Structures are given as structure tokens and as C-alpha cells.
Amino acid sequence: MKEIKMEDLLHDLLNEELILVFVVLFLGSWLGQLKIKGIGLGSAGVLVIAMIFGHYGYQVSPTIQNLGLSLFIVAVGLQAGPRFFRMMRSNGIVFCLISLFIVCSAVLTSVFVAKIFHLSAPLAIGLMTGALTNTSGLAAALQATNDPITSVGYGIAYPFGVLAIILFIQLLPRFGKIDLIQDLEETNNPIKTANSPEVMTFKVTNPKLHKKTLREISFSRNSVVISRVIRGDHTMIALHDTTILTGDHLVTVGEAHELELFGKYVGEQVDTLLENPDNIQFRKIVVEDDEIIGKSIKELKLRRKYGATVTRIQREGIELNQNPNMPLLRGDVLTMVSSEDRLNELETLFSRKKLTVTNVHILSISITLLVGILFGMIPIPIPGLGTMKLGLAGGPLIVALIIGHFGKLGPIHVRYYGPANHVILKLGLALFLAGAGTTAGQGLVEVIQTEGFKLVVSGTIITIVSIIIGYTVARKLFKFGVVYSLGTLCGGRTCTPALGALNQLVDSEDPAIAYAAAYPFSLIFGSIAAQLILIFF
């Protein structure tokens, strides 16, 4: 009987494509979870392991890679769509411009280092996407260049792209002697707009309001919300049946011009003193529960059922006025005023999760993918340069953005995917990186031997320039505070580990709001830039 060698058995097993795919995913995910002082490779761990297998001659099918690419890109578009176009029409345009500066600085620096070090276009584009830690940009770059060497550039630049911004965030406050909490309180808040709500307190002097309930007050403006009634040393939560007496102080939130009108109706403005001994607090609560999404504050009857008042709403990084008839979306942040027990109860209500069947709609996903792929095949004329195609990355991305914005188009329904959309994104990304990595691994050693030093230096230059440009634009041009500038920089470079480092320095949700506002723009711009940069070569 012929003896079977373990090496031959392992080789035969890895030649079975599904076994190879899941071995790469298992080892890559394990590697990505390893962290040194809080820093890890994340999803790039799959790419590193895949390149090692590719070096030894193993290859994941291009079909699996393209399937993963399509799923990943569509999930990105559906995730970003609901806020991308809406933020373009609001104060979010500021975050859009900062992200654009970051991506453009990376593009120009990549072209510069490519000329200086005589790097090929695919390699330079890979370095750019890695320096920006922008995986959707890598997907678009591979489609545009059709050269697996792009993944090598990404894999080399990515680790330093993560490490550099984390070090920047940790060292800037230390060497600049910056108190981040004080900075947060004193500097410009970019989530506020000209119509953002303000807080004013009015003393009741109008005799017509004496002994009337809040429900009976004839002044009615959607943006004016009475959150508390202060009577002497006693503070009460403002409910519909709360009786007002002459001399009471009403703490109100709303647009400045409407508050001024309200003040003339009620009496006179006085200083706002929110400290009180009556266990009344305010808390920011995130909307996550499926049964809450789509309902308005009026429908939820929070004042009647829970004795709570919603004074503000933050959506996609922008602060909105409370409107009782506005439907709530997943991720909205509500500022509520009530007792601690009531707020705990409401926090549970708004964030509860049920183990239900996933709401992935296969028909919708299939149509979105099909239309996106067909759209990506259409030649687009560029004057003086011929034509270009958006391909498997650009086509599905644009179609998914549009469908994600509307939520429902005919038989296509993609709104409120939530965790299900996240699963599609993660699975698609892992399959795409497995295929891209094994293909790139075939020339990995040769590229590192011949271009290794130049690649490390180039990736470092691209990373540092984009960080400096992004921070300077946010800080100097748009007058952001340090915390908001750093949060926007994390989002503009699509670097979640960096946001984690920032959150360790300052206990506030404001950095995450800035991150969330810039992140979708950077994803889109990175994908577009990875294709258009070929014009410069």
C-alpha cells in the first residue's frame, strides 16, 4: 500500500477551491483580530494570508472574487445611500469637502512618488488605497487596472496607514499641550447649522398663562420644545398636563427666531440654570429598534407614556430641530429629558434587539446587482481621452447609492437592512480580498525584492501628506476644533481603529459623529479616484 505523505494530502486539500477559500478566511480573520497595543490588521488580515497562499501557487477563482466584490460594493452603496445625497444638501457639504481634500492630496502625492521612484500605475494606485485604508478604493483600482500587483501596493501601505494616524491622534494633544475636553467646549461645533436648536429660559409674566397647562398654551411652533419648568427651587419635567404659574421659568429648545417670538408671548428671557436637585437629567439615546424606526415622536407618545421630552435630534452628523411629525431613522440620536429611571427604560426601548429572521430581500439584491453590473459595462466617453467603464466596482456602487437613497423603487426594497447589510458587506469583502490576495501573491516576493524600499517610502509619504492636509483643512480652513478635526480625519481616511484611539482620549460621542459624517464621502471619492487616477499616468 502506497504511503500518503501529509504534505501531499495538504496540497490536494488546498487544491479544492472551497477548502482553500475557507482556510484563507479562517486564518485571515484570526490574523486580523490579533492586536498589538490596540492596533490590528482587521479585514486586511485576509489579504495578507491570501497573498502568502498565492505565493505558493494557490489561486481562488476570479468568479468568487468578483462575486465578493459585487456584494461588498452594493452593501457599501446601500449603507451610504440614505445619508450621502441628503448630506450633500445640508451642512454635510463641509465634511464632503474635507474628504475630497484628503483623497485629492493622496492622488496627487501618489502620482508624484510614482514619477520620482518610477513605480507602475497599478502599484502606485494600490499604495494610495492602502495609505487611505480604503478597501472600496482597492476594489475599484483592481477593476480599473486589471493588474493584481495593485493588491501588493495596498497590502504594503495599509499597516502604516493605520499606525500613522493613530500615532498622530495620540501625540498631537501631548506635544501640542491640548486639553481635548476644553477644546470640545470652546471651539466650533460643525454638526450645528444656522438653524440648529438653541436653549433659552423664559420667566412667565403673561397673566393669561397663569394656571394654564402646557397643552392649553395657544403659541404653537414645531421647533419650540419646553423641556423643564422651574418653580423656585423645584424643577419639573414639562408634560402636557403640567400647570404653569406666573413667575415660573420655562426651559425651552428651538430655533433662535422662534424662541424670541415665544419669549415675547410668555414674558422675559432669563439666565438658563439646568442644575437641579430633582433627579431630572438629559441623555442622548440612539434609535436602533426595528419597531421604533419609521414612527414619529408624536406617534410614540413619549410624554404621555414615559414622562419624557425629546429636545433635539442628530441625524447623519447634523443637528436637527425636534419635529413631532418627522419619522425616525436608524441611527438617529435623540436628546431626551426625564428622570434617570425613565431614561434607562427608554434607552432599553429604543435599542432593544430581537432575534428575528433577517430582512435581506434576495429579489432586491439580485436586481440591484444586475442593474449595477450592466450599468458598469456602459462605455462613458471622456473628451480627449477616449472612453472608460465604471466596471464591477463603479456601476453597482452608483446604482446602490441611488436605490439606497430612495429605499424603495418598484419591487426593490432595501431600507433598514441594518445588521443584515453588514453581513453582506463583511462576507463580500472577505471573498474579494481572498481572490485579490491569492492573485497578487504570485508576484509578491519579486515585487518586494525589487521595489520594497521604494514602496515603503512611497506609502509613508502618501499617508503623512494626506493626514497633514486633511487635519489642516479641517482646522484652519473650516475652523473645526481639534476633536472634530481628528474625528473627521478618521472618517475621511475610513480608519475605524483610529476612531477607537480617539475615543480613548476623549469621552464623547462627538468624534464618532464627525467620523460618520465624513466616512461615506471618502468611500465614494476613494472609489472614483482609484479609477480616474489612471488619467495622470
Side-chain angles (χ1 to χ4, degrees):
M1 187 179 213
K2 186 178 179 181
E3 184 180 352
I4 300 177
K5 294 182 179 180
M6 182 60 69
E7 184 180 337
D8 293 335
L9 177 60
L10 184 60
H11 179 73
D12 291 340
L13 286 174
L14 291 176
N15 279 328
E16 292 291 334
E17 191 162 1
L18 287 180
I19 292 179
L20 173 63
V21 168
F22 289 113
V23 167
V24 170
L25 295 188
F26 163 67
L27 294 176
S29 300
W30 172 77
L31 178 62
Q33 291 177 5
L34 295 179
K35 293 185 178 181
I36 300 175
K37 294 186 177 181
I39 301 173
L41 288 174
S43 58
V46 175
L47 180 66
V48 172
I49 294 296
M51 287 195 292
I52 294 174
F53 275 87
H55 170 67
Y56 288 102
Y58 299 103
Q59 181 64 55
V60 171
S61 166
T63 301
I64 292 179
Q65 177 182 333
N66 289 337
L67 173 63
L69 170 61
S70 301
L71 291 174
F72 168 64
I73 287 295
V74 163
V76 167
L78 295 180
Q79 186 181 65
R83 47 185 174 171
F84 182 74
F85 295 106
R86 183 166 56 243
M87 288 187 69
M88 289 289 285
R89 300 193 302 266
S90 67
N91 201 41
I93 193 66
V94 175
F95 297 98
C96 168
L97 292 174
I98 296 173
S99 298
L100 186 60
F101 271 105
I102 292 172
V103 173
C104 287
S105 67
V107 168
L108 295 176
T109 309
S110 300
V111 174
F112 173 77
V113 297
K115 302 296 184 184
I116 294 296
F117 294 113
H118 306 290
L119 302 177
S120 67
L123 205 50
I125 297 173
L127 288 171
M128 180 194 75
T129 57
L132 291 173
T133 68
N134 193 322
T135 311
S136 63
L138 171 63
L142 283 171
Q143 282 291 302
T145 62
N146 197 29
D147 191 332
I149 206 68
T150 304
S151 299
V152 176
Y154 177 91
I156 290 174
Y158 180 90
F160 186 75
V162 175
L163 180 62
I165 187 173
I166 290 177
L167 289 175
F168 182 78
I169 287 170
Q170 292 177 336
L171 296 178
L172 179 68
R174 185 178 303 175
F175 287 103
K177 297 181 180 179
I178 301 169
D179 185 332
L180 295 181
I181 299 299
Q182 183 179 353
D183 169 82
L184 203 56
E185 294 173 351
E186 295 179 354
T187 52
N188 177 41
N189 184 342
I191 69 173
K192 290 183 176 293
T193 67
N195 296 321
S196 289
E198 297 183 10
V199 179
M200 293 185 186
T201 301
F202 301 100
K203 180 179 179 180
V204 178
T205 59
N206 185 348
K208 296 181 180 179
L209 301 183
H210 186 64
K211 292 187 177 182
K212 283 195 174 184
T213 64
L214 293 181
R215 184 184 288 108
E216 294 173 323
I217 294 180
S218 60
F219 186 94
S220 177
R221 295 291 172 91
N222 282 340
S223 81
V224 175
V225 179
I226 302 173
S227 65
R228 312 181 194 194
V229 177
I230 302 175
R231 183 172 299 157
D233 295 330
H234 182 54
T235 301
M236 299 172 284
I237 300 171
L239 304 176
H240 289 305
D241 58 355
T242 300
T243 302
I244 298 175
L245 302 180
T246 301
D248 285 349
H249 289 189
L250 307 182
V251 180
T252 59
V253 180
E255 293 183 18
H257 70 283
E258 292 197 357
L259 287 177
E260 290 175 3
L261 294 175
F262 180 75
K264 293 177 181 178
Y265 171 69
V266 170
E268 60 186 49
Q269 184 176 353
V270 295
D271 293 335
T272 300
L273 299 175
L274 297 181
E275 294 182 3
N276 66 85
D278 298 302
N279 195 31
I280 295 177
Q281 303 177 1
F282 72 90
R283 187 180 302 175
K284 294 185 177 182
I285 296 177
V286 182
V287 178
E288 293 180 346
D289 181 55
D290 289 337
E291 293 186 7
I292 299 293
I293 294 168
K295 292 184 178 179
S296 66
I297 295 173
K298 186 176 182 180
E299 290 177 279
L300 294 172
K301 300 177 181 178
L302 299 179
R303 277 188 166 179
R304 183 185 305 174
K305 291 183 178 180
Y306 300 96
T309 299
V310 177
T311 60
R312 304 167 189 253
I313 299 176
Q314 288 178 2
R315 176 173 294 172
E316 317 299 353
I318 304 300
E319 195 170 73
L320 309 174
N321 284 299
Q322 190 265 63
N323 184 332
N325 298 311
M326 182 173 64
L328 299 175
L329 301 180
R330 186 185 303 280
D332 283 351
V333 181
L334 310 183
T335 300
M336 295 191 187
V337 176
S338 190
S339 65
E340 184 175 5
D341 291 341
R342 290 290 193 176
L343 290 174
N344 290 338
E345 188 178 353
L346 285 165
E347 197 163 39
T348 301
L349 174 70
F350 276 74
S351 62
R352 66 188 175 187
K353 299 185 186 304
K354 296 182 178 180
L355 297 177
T356 57
V357 177
T358 178
N359 62 348
V360 173
H361 196 229
I362 300 300
L363 174 65
S364 299
I365 286 288
S366 301
I367 295 177
T368 304
L369 281 168
L370 180 60
V371 174
I373 292 170
L374 291 174
F375 183 64
M377 296 170 62
I378 299 174
I380 300 175
I382 300 178
L385 297 173
T387 61
M388 68 168 286
K389 296 180 180 179
L390 295 175
L392 278 176
L397 177 62
I398 291 177
V399 171
L401 277 172
I402 295 172
I403 293 175
H405 171 70
F406 290 104
K408 190 177 188 304
L409 288 176
I412 306 176
H413 176 69
V414 295
R415 185 57 56 83
Y416 310 139
Y417 266 52
N421 189 66
H422 186 69
V423 170
I424 296 173
L425 186 148
K426 287 290 186 182
L427 177 61
L429 176 58
L431 292 175
F432 161 67
L433 291 177
T438 53
T439 303
Q442 296 174 7
L444 175 64
V445 174
E446 180 183 350
V447 171
I448 292 178
Q449 287 176 341
T450 58
E451 308 282 1
F453 176 75
K454 293 190 290 186
L455 295 181
V456 172
V457 172
S458 298
T460 302
I461 293 173
I462 297 169
T463 299
I464 293 175
V465 169
S466 63
I467 289 175
I468 293 174
I469 292 294
Y471 180 78
T472 302
V473 168
R475 193 85 175 90
K476 302 300 182 181
L477 183 60
F478 293 106
K479 309 301 181 184
F480 282 14
V482 174
V483 174
Y484 287 111
S485 297
L486 293 176
T488 306
L489 184 63
C490 294
R493 291 177 46 79
T494 65
C495 190
T496 307
L499 177 64
L502 181 56
N503 284 334
Q504 290 178 351
L505 297 180
V506 55
D507 184 18
S508 170
E509 75 281 354
D510 293 284
I513 293 173
Y515 171 92
Y519 183 85
F521 294 114
S522 187
L523 279 180
I524 308 309
F525 293 148
S527 299
I528 295 173
Q531 298 183 72
L532 294 183
I533 190 176
L534 287 172
I535 296 173
F536 296 98
F537 288 95

